[in-house]
Amino acid sequence: MGTNAISRRNFIRASGLAGTALCLGFYFPANAKKEQLISTADQSGFEFNAWMRIDADGKVTLTDHRAEMGQGSYQSVPQIIAEELEVDLKDINVIFALGDPAKYGSQITGGSSTIRGSYKKLLKLSATAREMLITAAANKWNVPASECYAESGHVIHKPSGKKINYGELVADASKLSPPKEVKLKSISEYKLIRKPLSRLDTPMKTNGGAIFGLDKKLPEMLYAAVERNPRLRGKVKSFDDSAVRKVPGVKQVFKIQMMVFNTTRDGVVVIADSTWAAMQGRKALHIEWDDSGFEHVNTGDIYKAHEALLKKEEGISFKKQGDPDNILTQATNKIDVIYQTPYQSHAAMEPLNCVAHYQPDKIEVWGPIQAPDWVQGDISDKFKLPREKVFVHMTFLGGGFGRKAFLDYTHEAVAISKQIGGPVQVVWTREDDITQGPYRAGISYRGEGAIENGEISALKFKMAGQNIDHWNGPARDKANGSTTEGFLNPYFDNIKNISFADVPYEMPLPNMWWRSVYASTNGFAYESFINEMAVLARQDQLDFRRKYLKDERCQALINKMEQVSGWKSRKKNEGFGVAITECFETTVGQVVKVSRHDDGKVRIDKVWAVMDCGWYVNPDIIRAQVEGSVVMALGAATIHEITFKDGMVEQKNFYDYLMPRMSDVPAVEVHIMENTADAGGVGEPGLPPFAPALTDAIYDLTGKRIRKLPFNLNAV
């Protein structure tokens, strides 16, 4: 723990906790390679960080350092704690942490990282608390700790049957130092983990008890609606607010600027005493925009530029082995094709919103925030306040998909609060959300491949599209760091000649992480190409993959896919397609079945999804995430896209950015592979394989190869 002298403040803080509660957490010392477990008994000179607190009434309070945006961490984290701590789930209360990376490490809810990044720490934390409570009970009874065990929030003495509640032990346990090593349960001993337990947040989300950003209210809080320039780099030339000020409830109207990556977005703010009044005032605004001096983008031009670049540029090499170029030059049995994927909006059900209160000596923010630690740092930098004076409060999120990890809407809310000298709530409309971005970037890919003697002799991929990293300032001469995301590593072990390159393409459209990030676009191109290579080799798509995905887990996954889908017993007039992708340390294979119905239209009959995420918590949450991923992938593949005309987004709301309806969604059957590997992600990996599996199924049924998304399923 170090030898730093404990400050008077921290001594009082820790002393106040000791004797009333047992608190445990992890401390992240500066420059340390590994976090350190701490408890109320530790006398170290740090700001105390309690991830878990057990009170004198036996109740457990868990501080969740990550956001809950529908992915299930609010259930999964307590389920882990309850397993090793030996308490009932009903006795666990969950609160969200403030943004503070010094206390909690990374708090970004993204990359499907909450469980895979924390589960080992949480298991150890819980088992440590359990052992400390057992030791406290054994000391109280003057018996060996080996004769005691924990169950349902109690310590029990085996020989005598004596039983004592955790709450009666916390005073003594809080004076103990945590044991250096604790024994964790084996998977076969789990009573809660790997069980489909009902989610703790379901009741509060159905009875109105859950607090989302829109629910937050502060005394004397005003409300803001912002009319933002429909072209990112345009400026406010002038505005007329005479009609606005006649709207009942309107208080102020002024110009605002907020940072969007490395540029600014102009807008005009209407402040009122209600959201409705602010929005009505906004409608009455008359603004003259200055949109001169920069390119006005059109979607068609973007993809023409992609195609030209892919044909004439070799790009920046990301990964290469062997000599694929030479082999492709000489090969006769080869293909050379282009795939294209569209720009997409995040379109989370809860629109963006943020409550902010700027004061000269501190700033507070409340809202649906995926990255509270990033927001804390960003606001600290922009408003020149120390980080410890910036307080970022997370609420529940009604969906995020990466959008609510961005920093524009929180910065804007604080800037408005500073301007009006009081607390404010800023609410974005659906039109704001869809027209302002940022978006998943549209990407184009060129795939070249050759088959010799039934084997892949060479593969070559190039991608052209916006690079998320470039908004943050890295050198433009480096390849996109996600060029191979979604492509399974075993392919590299078993294909001798293969290369991936990134063809840089710059475009002033804000682009951002979107569920499964680049795997969502890469997966379509790369796995579609593997299917085309299988056809070129005249081989079954699953058998073809077996030859190149030789590791044990991939082989087991392929066998499972074949078994559950009835792959070998496919019938005439049925189209079956397959794809396997990997992202965030989880591999997912999907088989999609389609058929042509009596009305002549192709329908998706069923999707079989097999997920290998290693160690996992709750199978119901996994099934829900995979089902949701399939629905989102279905929309992105066949229904909606963001398009640009004269520099503006053409879509406005769900009437022209259509979502899948219940009647569009096929049956989805989810299977989870059982193994002891480390945990992978769950919230995102179920999305990438759907589109390539679907288009492969359509080819199997109709002979039509689809290489550009989205496509109209009704027109196939």
Side-chain angles (χ1 to χ4, degrees):
M1 298 296 173
T3 58
N4 295 335
I6 189 165
S7 69
R8 179 178 180 276
R9 177 172 178 238
N10 285 324
F11 176 77
I12 292 171
R13 186 184 177 103
S15 298
L17 290 169
T20 60
L22 172 60
C23 301
L24 292 99
F26 284 93
Y27 172 49
F28 295 82
N31 302 318
K33 294 182 179 179
K34 189 176 180 181
E35 69 280 346
Q36 299 171 357
L37 195 154
I38 58 174
S39 81
T40 41
D42 294 312
Q43 297 278 304
S44 305
F46 55 81
E47 180 73 12
F48 192 81
N49 153 30
W51 281 20
M52 182 197 301
R53 174 186 173 104
I54 308 172
D55 293 310
D57 60 1
K59 292 290 183 180
V60 180
T61 298
L62 171 68
T63 302
D64 192 349
H65 68 305
R66 297 286 178 87
E68 170 55 67
M69 56 183 183
Q71 82 281 19
S73 69
Y74 197 89
Q75 168 67 30
S76 297
V77 173
Q79 202 164 330
I80 294 171
I81 294 289
E83 180 69 68
E84 284 289 359
L85 184 55
E86 294 287 357
V87 296
D88 297 331
L89 269 173
K90 64 179 178 59
D91 290 328
I92 297 181
N93 177 46
V94 184
I95 61 174
F96 293 122
L98 288 169
D100 193 338
K103 288 186 178 183
Y104 302 106
S106 172
Q107 292 179 263
I108 171 67
T109 304
S112 298
S113 60
T114 298
I115 298 302
R116 69 185 176 99
S118 303
Y119 82 102
K120 290 181 179 179
K121 292 197 288 280
L122 292 167
L123 288 170
K124 182 179 180 182
L125 197 71
S126 313
T128 298
R130 181 195 69 224
E131 292 305 306
M132 293 172 72
L133 290 161
I134 287 174
T135 299
N139 292 343
K140 184 181 286 287
W141 291 327
N142 197 26
V143 299
S146 60
E147 293 182 357
C148 303
Y149 68 98
E151 184 178 83
S152 193
H154 292 78
V155 176
I156 302 165
H157 183 230
K158 292 180 195 174
S160 68
K162 288 189 291 187
K163 185 176 181 180
I164 187 168
N165 184 278
Y166 280 176
E168 299 175 62
L169 297 169
V170 294
D172 292 333
S174 67
K175 299 170 186 174
L176 301 173
S177 292
K180 291 183 178 180
E181 299 294 333
V182 289
K183 183 181 179 182
L184 301 180
K185 295 180 182 179
S186 64
I187 291 174
S188 63
E189 296 176 294
Y190 288 157
K191 294 180 284 187
L192 300 176
I193 292 175
R194 299 206 173 194
K195 302 298 187 292
L197 304 182
S198 299
R199 287 177 56 154
L200 296 172
D201 53 342
T202 298
M204 68 178 78
K205 286 181 176 177
T206 53
N207 66 21
I211 301 299
F212 290 82
L214 289 173
D215 299 314
K216 183 64 183 176
K217 300 291 182 285
L218 295 176
E220 301 180 359
M221 184 175 81
L222 294 176
Y223 300 83
V226 185
E227 183 72 12
R228 304 170 185 87
N229 192 306
R231 297 183 179 94
L232 173 63
R233 292 179 291 170
K235 303 300 180 184
V236 174
K237 188 174 183 179
S238 65
F239 66 90
D240 179 359
D241 64 354
S242 55
V244 181
R245 295 185 180 276
K246 296 176 183 178
V247 175
V250 168
K251 305 291 187 183
Q252 299 181 49
V253 184
F254 54 86
K255 178 183 169 182
I256 194 74
Q257 285 188 328
M258 69 171 173
M259 292 300 300
V260 179
F261 291 112
N262 55 4
T263 188
T264 57
R265 177 154 54 206
D266 271 21
V268 177
V269 182
V270 177
I271 301 293
D273 58 12
S274 70
T275 300
W276 174 256
M279 289 183 173
Q280 295 309 300
R282 175 183 173 183
K283 289 179 181 178
L285 270 171
H286 294 283
I287 304 175
E288 185 178 356
W289 302 106
D290 179 3
D291 293 330
S292 61
F294 60 92
E295 178 186 3
H296 295 182
V297 180
N298 295 296
T299 293
D301 297 335
I302 293 173
Y303 289 97
K304 286 178 184 177
H306 286 181
E307 292 174 15
L309 286 169
L310 289 171
K311 288 176 182 177
K312 71 178 183 179
E313 301 288 344
E314 282 303 303
I316 303 169
S317 178
F318 180 80
K319 188 165 186 175
K320 184 176 182 179
Q321 57 192 42
D323 189 4
D325 294 302
N326 185 49
I327 291 172
L328 286 166
T329 299
Q330 300 180 43
T332 56
N333 192 25
K334 59 185 179 181
I335 52 175
D336 182 348
V337 294
I338 287 179
Y339 302 94
Q340 293 183 326
T341 57
Y343 282 79
Q344 293 283 347
S345 171
H346 296 82
M349 286 304 297
E350 176 197 21
L352 290 170
N353 63 89
C354 184
V355 172
H357 190 188
Y358 175 92
Q359 299 173 75
D361 61 341
K362 72 172 182 177
I363 298 172
E364 289 194 86
V365 170
W366 296 261
I369 294 167
Q370 279 185 246
D373 48 339
W374 292 1
V375 171
Q376 184 194 38
D378 181 65
I379 291 174
S380 172
D381 291 342
K382 286 186 170 70
F383 294 91
K384 310 304 179 187
L385 268 184
R387 287 189 74 124
E388 62 269 20
K389 298 293 185 180
V390 177
F391 302 90
V392 180
H393 306 266
M394 288 186 287
T395 63
F396 281 106
L397 286 75
F401 312 121
R403 174 59 179 99
K404 290 169 186 169
F406 196 32
L407 305 171
D408 58 339
Y409 67 109
T410 50
H411 169 226
E412 180 184 61
V414 176
I416 293 172
S417 174
K418 181 180 180 181
Q419 177 83 5
I420 67 174
V424 67
Q425 182 178 72
V426 185
V427 178
W428 291 46
T429 64
R430 178 62 57 196
E431 288 80 3
D432 294 334
D433 179 48
I434 288 180
T435 61
Q436 294 291 314
Y439 307 101
R440 183 192 79 171
I443 311 287
S444 298
Y445 301 82
R446 182 179 178 184
E448 299 175 77
I451 296 290
E452 186 176 346
N453 299 321
E455 304 284 342
I456 296 175
S457 57
L459 280 184
K460 181 179 180 181
F461 292 112
K462 293 188 291 185
M463 67 182 290
Q466 287 184 259
N467 186 342
I468 294 171
D469 294 340
H470 285 176
W471 285 106
N472 298 320
R476 267 51 172 179
D477 59 352
K478 290 186 178 180
N480 188 321
S482 299
T483 300
T484 60
E485 190 173 71
F487 193 74
L488 276 70
N489 279 325
Y491 281 128
F492 291 107
D493 298 330
N494 300 294
I495 300 174
K496 293 181 180 178
N497 302 287
I498 188 168
S499 70
F500 283 83
D502 171 33
V503 181
Y505 174 76
E506 298 295 330
M507 177 57 57
L509 296 172
N511 62 300
M512 189 71 174
W513 309 290
W514 190 87
R515 194 173 191 175
S516 75
V517 200
Y518 282 100
S520 71
T521 54
N522 293 356
F524 170 65
Y526 300 158
E527 278 296 280
S528 292
F529 194 76
I530 293 295
N531 285 326
E532 295 207 45
M533 292 292 282
V535 171
L536 187 65
R538 298 183 180 182
Q539 294 175 29
D540 175 272
Q541 302 102 301
L542 274 178
D543 290 340
F544 190 67
R545 285 173 171 81
R546 273 198 183 90
K547 297 195 298 184
Y548 304 104
L549 303 175
K550 293 182 179 180
D551 69 290
E552 184 179 344
R553 290 174 69 180
C554 283
Q555 292 288 309
L557 183 113
I558 292 171
N559 291 340
K560 187 72 172 179
M561 293 170 64
E562 183 178 274
Q563 172 201 337
V564 300
S565 67
W567 180 264
K568 293 296 187 183
S569 57
R570 308 194 300 279
K571 299 175 184 177
K572 285 186 177 181
N573 301 319
E574 294 179 339
F576 275 69
V578 64
I580 305 172
T581 58
E582 186 275 336
C583 69
F584 306 127
E585 302 179 23
T586 287
T587 302
V588 179
Q590 290 182 10
V591 175
V592 175
K593 174 180 174 290
V594 301
S595 62
R596 195 176 292 281
H597 288 222
D598 293 340
D599 60 4
K601 295 179 179 179
V602 172
R603 304 286 173 81
I604 307 170
D605 299 319
K606 191 164 185 177
V607 179
W608 292 270
V610 181
M611 173 175 276
D612 183 352
C613 58
W615 188 94
Y616 66 87
V617 181
N618 188 318
D620 264 8
I621 289 176
I622 292 175
R623 293 187 182 97
Q625 290 303 301
V626 173
E627 289 166 0
S629 292
V630 167
V631 173
M632 195 166 178
L634 170 64
T638 66
I639 300 175
H640 50 67
E641 69 174 317
I642 291 293
T643 58
F644 306 92
K645 184 177 181 180
D646 192 28
M648 294 183 288
V649 175
E650 294 187 280
Q651 292 69 36
K652 300 294 187 295
N653 205 315
F654 290 138
Y655 59 79
D656 56 3
Y657 191 77
L658 300 175
M659 291 288 132
R661 300 298 183 100
M662 290 182 69
S663 58
D664 299 321
V665 179
V668 181
E669 186 176 299
V670 181
H671 298 268
I672 306 165
M673 300 299 290
E674 298 283 346
N675 56 52
T676 59
D678 286 346
V682 165
E684 300 170 85
L687 190 146
F690 175 77
L694 172 61
T695 53
D696 187 42
I698 289 170
Y699 174 80
D700 188 42
L701 178 70
T702 68
K704 181 179 180 180
R705 184 67 73 183
I706 296 169
R707 300 189 181 103
K708 180 176 175 60
L709 301 181
F711 67 96
N712 185 350
L713 188 59
N714 292 327
V716 173

